[in-house]
Amino acid sequence: GHLVTIVTPDDFPASRRAAGRLTPLVYPFVVQRWMRQHGLECDVVVFHSYSGWRAVATAAARGVPAVIAFHGLEPLYHEALREESADAGGLSWRYRLLQEWLMPFMLRSACRNATRVTCLHSIERDDLVRRGWVAEDRVDLVFHGVPPEFYLPERPARQARTLLFVGQWLAMKGIVYLREAFTEIAHRHPEMR
């Protein structure tokens, strides 16, 4: 009995083609325009991270509750990436401008105008509160969960030939361990991909 509308950059191909590298700057305004046209049809809107910073303000002005849902907090990832890239000459000025000035502005605005903010763990929650972007009583932890039915009681024995890593290639994701483990496996099993 519920209707869910999912809006992504693919829903706005003209602006995506025109924006190119400026998509992080343009997309929030495109989403805001969509909110102005369709926001009153919504009982609640959920935005993922920075993309909703303009639309959340529009939702708040129209009395539509808005949630900002973080699936990783960009400033924390940026700090880790900056440390990781220091030995390689650092990050480009464009990337630093986006991540050190524009992104915090957009995230702060989104959090301050949101009805609720969710994040994955206490490190992110504590960082949001410490920065003053959201009051502690308006931020909730929402964990990614996998129901027990997802796991097979016993996996059939078979020889693996391919390993897959899905995630951002960041130190905090454990890529050093992944690289070391795969190197060891590849020496023992040269057919492994």
Side-chain angles (χ1 to χ4, degrees):
H2 294 82
L3 175 65
V4 176
T5 301
I6 299 173
V7 179
T8 72
D10 290 339
D11 293 309
F12 311 106
S15 63
R16 192 169 183 188
R17 279 191 302 275
R21 286 186 164 188
L22 298 176
T23 297
L25 303 176
V26 173
Y27 184 59
F29 289 93
V30 172
V31 175
Q32 179 187 29
R33 187 178 71 215
W34 186 93
M35 273 299 297
R36 284 183 178 150
Q37 294 170 351
H38 305 285
L40 290 177
E41 301 166 14
C42 303
D43 296 314
V44 66
V45 293
V46 179
F47 293 99
H48 297 277
S49 198
Y50 82 91
S51 63
W53 75 277
R54 297 287 302 164
V56 168
T58 300
R62 293 172 178 230
V64 177
V67 176
I68 295 293
F70 287 103
H71 300 277
L73 191 57
E74 283 90 346
L76 293 177
Y77 285 129
H78 173 66
E79 289 169 12
L81 187 59
R82 188 176 55 212
E83 287 176 23
E84 186 179 308
S85 68
D87 293 338
L91 302 167
S92 74
W93 68 268
R94 257 188 242 144
Y95 184 80
R96 289 188 62 213
L97 175 69
L98 173 66
Q99 292 296 330
E100 294 173 15
W101 189 78
L102 292 172
M103 190 64 68
F105 169 80
M106 292 186 276
L107 295 174
R108 180 177 55 246
S109 176
C111 289
R112 287 187 176 161
N113 286 306
T115 309
R116 301 296 295 177
V117 175
T118 67
C119 52
L120 295 177
H121 51 76
S122 59
I123 294 171
E124 292 177 353
R125 179 199 57 214
D126 295 348
D127 192 66
L128 289 167
V129 171
R130 179 188 59 77
R131 291 174 188 268
W133 292 357
V134 65
E136 193 169 1
D137 64 342
R138 286 189 24 247
V139 63
D140 298 299
L141 297 180
V142 177
F143 307 104
H144 286 168
V146 178
E149 298 81 34
F150 178 81
Y151 297 99
L152 295 173
E154 220 178 277
R155 294 191 185 262
R158 64 184 178 126
Q159 184 157 0
R161 299 204 190 305
T162 304
L163 297 176
L164 173 67
F165 167 76
V166 178
Q168 291 179 308
W169 196 257
L170 297 172
M172 63 179 30
K173 299 283 186 176
I175 59 166
V176 170
Y177 308 113
L178 176 68
R179 195 177 313 153
E180 290 171 2
F182 183 76
T183 300
E184 187 176 319
I185 290 169
H187 284 305
R188 284 194 243 155
H189 306 279
E191 74 282 1
M192 185 65 69
R193 296 184 319 131

